[in-house]
C-alpha cells in the first residue's frame, strides 16, 4: 500500500485511494447523470423559478437620501418588542413613503418577510447595530472614507499589484467573509489553505482529518504511474461530489458521457463560464492557421479553409499570454513552481472554430501555445471536419484531447483572472470608489448605482488578500508577480465603451440586435441573446429614471458631479476609455454599463464555475507537464500523457481547484436577485405621491414586468438550442444577482 497524500489516506488496489463507495441502494438512488441535460417542462420550470408574487417577495431597497442611522435608531427602536426582536410593530396611520414612517414600514416589512440569512441583518439595520444601509454622508465625508490605493506604482516605484481599489473599507460596507460565503465551505477552504487547524481552533470538535475526509468527496488522489486512467476519475465523480448548492444542483460536466467531446468543448465557448471572448477570426489568424495546416500536412483543412466563408471562422485568442505576464521572449516556456509543490505550466493557446449555418460550432484547430508565429508553435487540426462526422473516435484521440485541454487551461486563466476578477470585480470596485468620491449620495446617479454595490468591496478585499496570493497563484502556471501583471494587463487594455453589450457583440463579429441574433446560426449562443435583452431592459429603466433628473442634454453637461465623475474614473480609477458625458444618452449608457458589469455580466461568468470547473480534468488551471515542443511529439501522445498533464495526483491543487468554484457558485438568495430588486423598487415607491415619484414607481413596475417577460424568453432561448445542450438559465433575472456579492 502506498501513501497517496500527506494527509494519510492510503491508496487501495491499482493506486486508488480508499474512499467510501456509496452502498448499492444509495448508488441506485442517484439521479441519472443525463437529467442535467433535461429541460423541465415549461410548467415545471416556471413553478420552480417564478418569483413569489410581489407582495411576498421584495426586500425594500433603500434610498440613501432618506436614511440616517442615528435618526433610524431614535425613530425605529421603540417600535420593536424588546422581548422579541423578531417582532416589529407596524406603524399605524397613513404611511407616506419617503417619510420616516414610510421607511419604518419598509423596514418592518423587510424584517417580517426575510426568511433568509439576511433576516437578522435587516433587524440589525432597524436597530442600527450592524448597519448595512448606507449612512447619509456629505460628499466631503465620502471623499475622506473612499480613498484609492496607489496605482500603477507603489511609493518605491515598483508596480502596484492591483488596479486602483479602495484603501480602507468603510464600516457600513465591511462584511466579514463569513457573512459572504457559506460558513462551513469557508472553513473547509481555510483548512485546505492551512489557515486554521480545526482540532486547535475547535471547529465543532472536528479534526482536520474529518474535514479533509469530507473534502475528498471532490478530490481524486491517485497515481497515474500505477494505472489510473481518466475513466477512473469519471467514475469517481459520479458518486463523490459536493452537495448541490449551485444552479445545476451539484451536477457537473463530468457526468456527461461525452464531456471531452468536440461538441461540449465548442458549446462552452457559447454557454460555459466564459461566453464573452469568442471573436470573429481576423484575416491574419485565418492566414496563420492556413499556414499551420500546410506545415502540418493537413491537406483537407488547407482546402477547407480556403473555401470557408471568413465570416464563419471564430477564435479564442490566448496568444497574448507572454506579453500580459511581462515575458519578452515569445518562445519562453511559462512555468512556475509554487513553494512546496510541483511545477505548473501555463499556455497561451489559440483555438479556431467554424460556426455552421445550422448553429453548430465546430473546433477546427488548436495552436496549443502561441510562440510568436505559427511556424514556431505547435498547431494540431481536428480529424473531424464537421460536426456531423462520426464521433466514435473522439474518446481515444489523445493528441486532440491534449490540445483541447491546453485550450481549457488558457481559458481558465483568462476567465478567472481577466474576465471575472478584473473586468467584473475590479472594474466595478474602481467605479464604486470613483462614484463615492465625486457624486453625492442624494444624486440620481448615486441612487441608481448604489444598490448594485452590495458586498462587493469586502469580497474584493478577500480576493486580494487570499484568493490571488494563496489560491490562484498555486493553481496556475505563472508566479504571483506574473498574476499581478496579467491582471493589470486586462485592466489596462479594457475598453469601457467598446464593452457596452451592443458594441461588444459587434466587435466580436456577432449581430447586435435581437432580430439579428434570431438567425438559426446563433441558436446555440443564448448568452448573446440574453445579455443583449438584459442590456436593453436595464437601459430603458435607467433612462426613464435619469430623465426625471436630467431632462436635457444641457442639464447633463452642466452637472458638476457628473463631470467630476468622468474625470475621476478616467484618471484616478485609470479607466481612460470611460466616455465623456455631455448628453443624456451618454449618461444612460455609462450608468447602464456600471449596472451590467455588477449584475448580468458578473452572474454569467460567476455562477457556472462549479458546473464546469469542479470536475477538474475538464478544465484544469494549469498543466502538470510541459506542453509538447513539436507536432510529432503531440501526435504521439497517449492517455498516460494526458493523465500526467492533469492534477490527478496533486491533492491540494485538485481540492482548491474544485472547492473554490463550489464556494463561489452558491445560488443567489431570492431577495438579492435582479428580479427582486425591481420588485422592491416598485414596492418602495408604492406610497409615493408626487408626479416624479409616480414616474419612478412606473419605471420600476415596468422593469419588473420586463424582467419577468425575460424569464420566459430565456427559457425559450435555452430550449431552442440543439437537442442535448446543457440548459442555459444563468441569466434568468431570478438567478441573476443584483450585485457582485460572491
Ligand atoms: C478558483 C478561482 C476562482 C476565481 C474567482 C474570482 C473572483 C472571486 C472573488 C473573490 C473570492 C474571494 C475568495 C476568498 C476565499 C477566502 C478564504 C479565506 O480567506 O479564508 O469571486 O467570485
Ligand atoms: Fe465573482
Amino acid at each position: 500500500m502506498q501513501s497517496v497524500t500527506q494527509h494519510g489516506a492510503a491508496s487501495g488496489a491499482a493506486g486508488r485511494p480508499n474512499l467510501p463507495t456509496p452502498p448499492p441502494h444509495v448508488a441506485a438512488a442517484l439521479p441519472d447523470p443525463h437529467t442535467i441535460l433535461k429541460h423541465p417542462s415549461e410548467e415545471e420550470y416556471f413553478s420552480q423559478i417564478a418569483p413569489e408574487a410581489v407582495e411576498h417577495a421584495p426586500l425594500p431597497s433603500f434610498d440613501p437620501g432618506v436614511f440616517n442611522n442615528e435618526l433610524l435608531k431614535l425613530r425605529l427602536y421603540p417600535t420593536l418588542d424588546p422581548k422579541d426582536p423578531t417582532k416589529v410593530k407596524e406603524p399605524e396611520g397613513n404611511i407616506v413613503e419617503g417619510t420616516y414612517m414610510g421607511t419604518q414600514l419598509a423596514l418592518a416589512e423587510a424584517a417580517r418577510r426575510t426568511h433568509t440569512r439576511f433576516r437578522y441583518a435587516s433587524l440589525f439595520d432597524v436597530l442600527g447595530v450592524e448597519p448595512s444601509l448606507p449612512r447619509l454622508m456629505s460628499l466631503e465625508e465620502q471623499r475622506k472614507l473612499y480613498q484609492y490605493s496607489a496605482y500603477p506604482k507603489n511609493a518605491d516605484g515598483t508596480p502596484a499589484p492591483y488596479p486602483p481599489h479602495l484603501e480602507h473599507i468603510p464600516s457600513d460596507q465591511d462584511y466579514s467573509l463569513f457573512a459572504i460565503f457559506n460558513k462551513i465551505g469557508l472553513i473547509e477552504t481555510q483548512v485546505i489553505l492551512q489557515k486554521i487547524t480545526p482540532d486547535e481552533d475547535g471547529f465543532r470538535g472536528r479534526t482536520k482529518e474529518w474535514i479533509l475526509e469530507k473534502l475528498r468527496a471532490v478530490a481524486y488522489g491517485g497515481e497515474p504511474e500505477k494505472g489510473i486512467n481518466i475513466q477512473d476519475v469519471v467514475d469517481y465523480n459520479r458518486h463523490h461530489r459536493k452537495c448541490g448548492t449551485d444552479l445545476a444542483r451539484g451536477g457537473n460536466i463530468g457526468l456527461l458521457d461525452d464531456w471531452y467531446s468536440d461538441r461540449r468543448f465548442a458549446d462552452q465557448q457559447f454557454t460555459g463560464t466564459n461566453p464573452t471572448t469568442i471573436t470573429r477570426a481576423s484575416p491574419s489568424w485565418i492566414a496563420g492557421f492556413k499556414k499551420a495546416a500546410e506545415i502540418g500536412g493537413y491537406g483537407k483543412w488547407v482546402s477547407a479553409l480556403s473555401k470557408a466563408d471568413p465570416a464563419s471562422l471564430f477564435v479564442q485568442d490566448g496568444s497574448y499570454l507572454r506579453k500580459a505576464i511581462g515575458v519578452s521572449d515569445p518562445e519562453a516556456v511559462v512555468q512556475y513552481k509554487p513553494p512546496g509543490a510541483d511545477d505548473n505550466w501555463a499556455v497561451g493557446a489559440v483555438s479556431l472554430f467554424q460556426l455552421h449555418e445550422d448553429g453548430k460550432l465546430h473546433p477546427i484547430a488548436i495552436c496549443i501555445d502561441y510562440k510568436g508565429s505559427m511556424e514556431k508553435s505547435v498547431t494540431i487540426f481536428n480529424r473531424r471536419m464537421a460536426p456531423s462526422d462520426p464521433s466514435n473516435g473522439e474518446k481515444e484521440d489523445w493528441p486532440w484531447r491534449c490540445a483541447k485541454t491546453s485550450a481549457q487551461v488558457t481559458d481558465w486563466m483568462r476567465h478567472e483572472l481577466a474576465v471575472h476578477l478584473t473586468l467584473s470585480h475590479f472594474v466595478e470596485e474602481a467605479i464604486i470608489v470613483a462614484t463615492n468620491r465625486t457624486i453625492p449620495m442624494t444624486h440620481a446617479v448615486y441612487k441608481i448605482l448604489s444598490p448594485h454595490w452590495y458586498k462587493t468591496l469586502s469580497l474584493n478585499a478577500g480576493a486580494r488578500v487570499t484568493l490571488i496570493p494563496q489560491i490562484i497563484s498555486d493553481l496556475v502556471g505563472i508566479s504571483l508577480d506574473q498574476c499581478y501583471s496579467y491582471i493589470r494587463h486586462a485592466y489596462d487594455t479594457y475598453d469601457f465603451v467598446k464593452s457596452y453589450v451592443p458594441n461588444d457583440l459587434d466587435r466580436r463579429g456577432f449581430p447586435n440586435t435581437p432580430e439579428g441574433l434570431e438567425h438559426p446560426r446563433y441558436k446555440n449562443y443564448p448568452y448573446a441573446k440574453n445579455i443583449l435583452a438584459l442590456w436593453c431592459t436595464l437601459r430603458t429603466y435607467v433612462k426613464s429614471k435619469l430623465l426625471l433628473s436630467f431632462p436635457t442634454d444641457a442639464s447633463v453637461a452642466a452637472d458638476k458631479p457628473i463631470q467630476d465623475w468622468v474625470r475621476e474614473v478616467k484618471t484616478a480609477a485609470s479607466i481612460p476609455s470611460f466616455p465623456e458625458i455631455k448628453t443624456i444618452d451618454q449618461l444612460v449608457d455609462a450608468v447602464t454599463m456600471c449596472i451590467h458589469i455588477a449584475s448580468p455580466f458578473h452572474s454569467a461568468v460567476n455562477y457556472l464555475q462549479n458546473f464546469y470547473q469542479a470536475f477538474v480534468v475538464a478544465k484544469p488551471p494549469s498543466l502538470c507537464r510541459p506542453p509538447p515542443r513539436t507536432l510529432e511529439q503531440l501526435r504521439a501522445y497517449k492517455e498516460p500523457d494526458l493523465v500526467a498533464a492533469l492534477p490527478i495526483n496533486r491533492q491540494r491543487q485538485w481540492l482548491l481547484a474544485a472547492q473554490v468554484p463550489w464556494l463561489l457558485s452558491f445560488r443567489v438568495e431570492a431577495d438579492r436577485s435582479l428580479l427582486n430588486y425591481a420588485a422592491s423598487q416598485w414596492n418602495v415607491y408604492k406610497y409615493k405621491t408626487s408626479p416624479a415619484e409616480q414616474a419612478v414607481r412606473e419605471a420600476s413596475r415596468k422593469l419588473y414586468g420586463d424582467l419577468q417577460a425575460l424569464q420566459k424568453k430565456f427559457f425559450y432561448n435555452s430550449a431552442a438550442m440543439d437537442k442535448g445542450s446543457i440548459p442555459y438559465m444563468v441569466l434568468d433575472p431570478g438567478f441573476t444577482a443584483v450585485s457582485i456579492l460572491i
Side-chain angles (χ1 to χ4, degrees):
M1 292 280 173
Q2 178 132 6
S3 173
V4 171
T5 73
Q6 58 188 353
H7 307 296
S11 59
R16 294 175 194 214
N18 283 329
L19 291 164
T21 21
H25 68 281
V26 175
L30 288 169
D32 170 2
H34 287 91
T35 53
I36 63 174
L37 288 185
K38 187 178 154 278
H39 264 100
S41 72
E42 210 173 304
E43 264 167 45
E44 264 173 313
Y45 182 72
F46 290 110
S47 69
Q48 279 169 29
I49 61 97
E52 297 168 76
V54 176
E55 286 74 30
H56 303 295
L59 175 70
S61 80
F62 300 105
D63 178 350
V66 172
F67 286 90
N68 175 309
N69 279 330
E70 290 309 306
L71 283 168
L72 276 178
K73 264 189 240 172
L74 293 174
R75 291 284 191 139
L76 298 178
Y77 192 76
T79 69
L80 295 173
D81 177 345
K83 290 199 188 116
D84 179 0
T86 64
K87 275 194 191 153
V88 183
K89 281 191 213 159
E90 287 199 16
E92 291 159 9
N94 189 17
I95 308 302
V96 180
E97 185 58 40
T99 65
Y100 286 104
M101 287 303 274
T103 302
Q104 187 175 338
L105 176 66
L107 286 165
E109 285 288 285
R112 202 157 48 79
R113 291 178 178 170
T114 306
H115 300 294
T116 66
R117 68 192 162 104
F118 296 108
R119 177 178 179 187
Y120 293 101
S122 298
L123 282 169
F124 285 142
D125 291 341
V126 176
L127 292 164
V129 173
E130 188 188 276
S132 65
L133 308 180
R135 187 169 63 83
L136 183 62
M137 287 181 277
S138 67
L139 188 56
E140 205 185 356
E141 280 178 283
Q142 282 171 241
R143 286 181 71 84
K144 272 193 204 139
L145 277 179
Y146 286 80
Q147 306 255 350
Y148 274 113
S149 61
Y151 182 84
K153 290 196 188 330
N154 294 317
D156 62 2
T158 54
Y162 297 113
H165 58 273
L166 188 62
E167 190 70 52
H168 298 294
I169 302 178
S171 59
D172 64 349
Q173 299 295 318
D174 194 4
Y175 295 88
S176 104
L177 289 182
F178 284 96
I180 294 179
F181 297 111
N182 171 271
K183 292 182 184 50
I184 295 186
L186 185 63
I187 290 176
E188 289 171 346
T189 312
Q190 294 179 341
V191 171
I192 309 177
L193 293 172
Q194 308 205 325
K195 279 177 117 175
I196 57 169
T197 312
D199 29 359
E200 281 167 19
D201 295 340
F203 174 51
R204 299 183 179 187
R206 302 299 190 178
T207 61
K208 185 169 171 175
E209 279 62 41
W210 181 87
I211 294 178
L212 285 168
E213 188 56 38
K214 293 261 169 224
L215 283 169
R216 282 191 197 103
V218 292
Y220 195 95
E223 291 183 33
E225 295 79 4
K226 291 199 165 20
I228 295 288
N229 60 33
I230 290 179
Q231 190 57 42
D232 293 327
V233 185
V234 170
D235 293 341
Y236 189 79
N237 176 62
R238 281 186 197 279
H239 303 302
H240 297 88
R241 295 190 310 282
K242 295 202 58 128
C243 54
T245 48
D246 64 331
L247 278 175
R249 298 177 194 280
N252 67 42
I253 190 162
L255 294 178
L256 304 179
D257 290 338
D258 63 347
W259 61 271
Y260 53 81
S261 66
D262 290 346
R263 190 246 171 114
R264 300 296 171 204
F265 175 62
D267 282 356
Q268 284 178 65
Q269 320 306 319
F270 277 168
T271 51
T273 40
N274 175 25
T276 70
T277 50
I278 183 163
T279 303
R280 166 92 47 87
S282 64
S284 71
W285 274 128
I286 297 175
F289 275 100
K290 270 190 207 155
K291 178 98 212 146
E294 281 161 15
I295 296 171
Y298 295 100
K300 280 191 188 167
W301 276 118
V302 175
S303 115
L305 282 178
S306 305
K307 288 187 203 134
D309 175 1
S312 70
L313 300 175
F314 288 80
V315 284
Q316 282 285 14
D317 179 1
S319 63
Y320 65 96
L321 170 72
R322 287 167 180 78
K323 186 169 180 208
I325 60 173
V327 169
S328 54
D329 176 2
E331 293 179 59
V333 173
V334 182
Q335 171 182 13
Y336 177 65
K337 182 181 180 322
D342 293 327
D343 291 74
N344 296 324
W345 282 263
V347 282
V350 186
S351 312
L352 178 69
F353 297 88
Q354 182 160 29
L355 180 56
H356 289 260
E357 283 300 282
D358 61 359
K360 288 187 172 48
L361 187 69
H362 187 66
I364 291 180
I366 298 169
C367 167
I368 61 166
D369 187 17
Y370 187 72
K371 297 196 165 173
S373 73
M374 290 311 244
E375 285 83 352
K376 291 184 176 147
S377 314
V378 173
T379 302
I380 184 168
F381 281 72
N382 196 351
R383 289 182 191 166
R384 298 176 66 243
M385 302 290 294
S388 54
D389 281 1
S391 55
N392 46 12
E394 283 195 76
K395 195 168 180 181
E396 278 77 38
D397 189 353
W398 299 109
W400 181 240
R401 283 184 67 171
C402 285
K404 286 189 280 193
T405 306
S406 292
Q408 293 288 59
V409 166
T410 299
D411 195 62
W412 194 104
M413 263 182 58
R414 184 182 200 179
H415 161 249
E416 291 294 20
L417 279 171
V419 175
H420 179 193
L421 200 57
T422 307
L423 306 188
S424 182
H425 284 250
F426 289 165
V427 167
E428 188 69 18
E429 174 163 354
I431 300 277
I432 297 174
V433 183
T435 313
N436 273 287
R437 291 180 55 75
T438 50
I439 303 199
M441 293 173 104
T442 48
H443 191 280
V445 168
Y446 193 99
K447 287 195 208 173
I448 200 166
L449 287 182
S450 56
H452 301 283
W453 301 339
Y454 176 65
K455 290 192 176 173
T456 307
L457 297 170
S458 298
L459 177 62
N460 285 2
R464 284 186 291 269
V465 171
T466 308
L467 180 77
I468 297 161
Q470 293 182 34
I471 299 177
I472 291 186
S473 71
D474 279 7
L475 296 178
V476 294
I478 58 177
S479 69
L480 181 56
D481 280 341
Q482 291 174 332
C483 287
Y484 295 149
S485 175
Y486 192 85
I487 287 170
R488 284 196 307 265
H489 176 268
Y491 195 84
D492 292 342
T493 54
Y494 183 58
D495 192 311
F496 192 86
V497 173
K498 286 192 184 149
S499 303
Y500 293 174
V501 172
N503 299 348
D504 177 61
L505 287 170
D506 185 51
R507 76 171 160 172
R508 293 194 293 113
F510 294 96
N512 63 0
T513 60
E515 302 72 40
L517 287 168
E518 277 311 308
H519 191 286
R521 199 185 297 125
Y522 307 108
K523 72 172 177 190
N524 290 318
Y525 199 11
Y527 166 79
K529 299 179 192 181
N530 299 0
I531 203 84
L532 181 63
L534 281 164
W535 172 272
C536 297
T537 296
L538 287 170
R539 195 182 187 285
T540 303
Y541 168 71
V542 167
K543 184 159 189 173
S544 56
K545 274 188 91 169
L546 288 178
L547 273 175
L548 298 170
S549 306
F550 299 99
T552 60
D553 288 345
S555 62
V556 172
D559 188 78
K560 181 171 177 340
I562 291 175
Q563 299 311 320
D564 290 349
W565 187 48
V566 170
R567 225 179 355 269
E568 183 85 2
V569 180
K570 279 174 174 290
T571 56
S574 289
I575 306 179
S577 56
F578 196 74
E580 290 298 336
I581 298 182
K582 302 290 181 200
T583 67
I584 180 74
D585 277 320
Q586 287 168 338
L587 177 63
V588 169
D589 277 332
V591 169
T592 304
M593 183 65 181
C594 298
I595 300 174
H596 160 78
I597 296 169
S599 182
F601 183 73
H602 175 261
S603 288
V605 299
N606 188 88
Y607 288 95
L608 296 177
Q609 290 176 90
N610 190 66
F611 187 86
Y612 288 104
Q613 290 168 212
F615 180 61
V616 181
V617 292
K619 191 166 184 180
S622 57
L623 296 174
C624 301
R625 286 288 155 91
R629 286 189 311 276
T630 64
L631 186 56
E632 287 60 45
Q633 271 179 12
L634 177 57
R635 280 175 169 157
Y637 266 34
K638 297 278 181 295
E639 180 172 10
D641 300 296
L642 179 55
V643 168
L646 296 168
I648 286 179
N649 63 346
R650 296 187 179 187
Q651 191 175 51
R652 182 172 184 277
Q653 200 175 348
W654 185 300
L655 280 171
L656 282 175
Q659 169 78 2
V660 178
W662 174 81
L663 189 65
L664 301 176
S665 298
F666 272 61
R667 281 188 301 274
V668 66
E669 272 91 355
D671 62 354
R672 295 294 169 182
S673 72
L674 188 59
L675 187 72
N676 194 75
Y677 164 72
S680 68
Q681 284 287 304
W682 178 15
N683 218 33
V684 156
Y685 282 85
K686 201 144 120 191
Y687 303 99
K688 301 224 174 191
T689 50
S690 75
E693 289 163 345
Q694 284 176 11
V696 176
R697 181 179 63 207
E698 179 50 26
S700 309
R701 187 200 61 74
K702 180 166 165 33
L703 175 64
Y704 181 71
D706 288 351
L707 292 175
Q708 275 197 316
L710 290 188
Q711 290 194 291
K712 290 217 163 65
K713 198 170 163 26
F714 294 178
F715 177 80
Y716 298 125
N717 288 346
S718 178
M721 288 189 289
D722 280 329
K723 197 162 174 284
S725 297
I726 295 157
Y728 191 73
M729 293 310 302
V730 67
L731 285 173
D732 180 313
F735 297 148
T736 295
V738 72
S739 67
I740 299 171
L741 48 76
I742 199 161

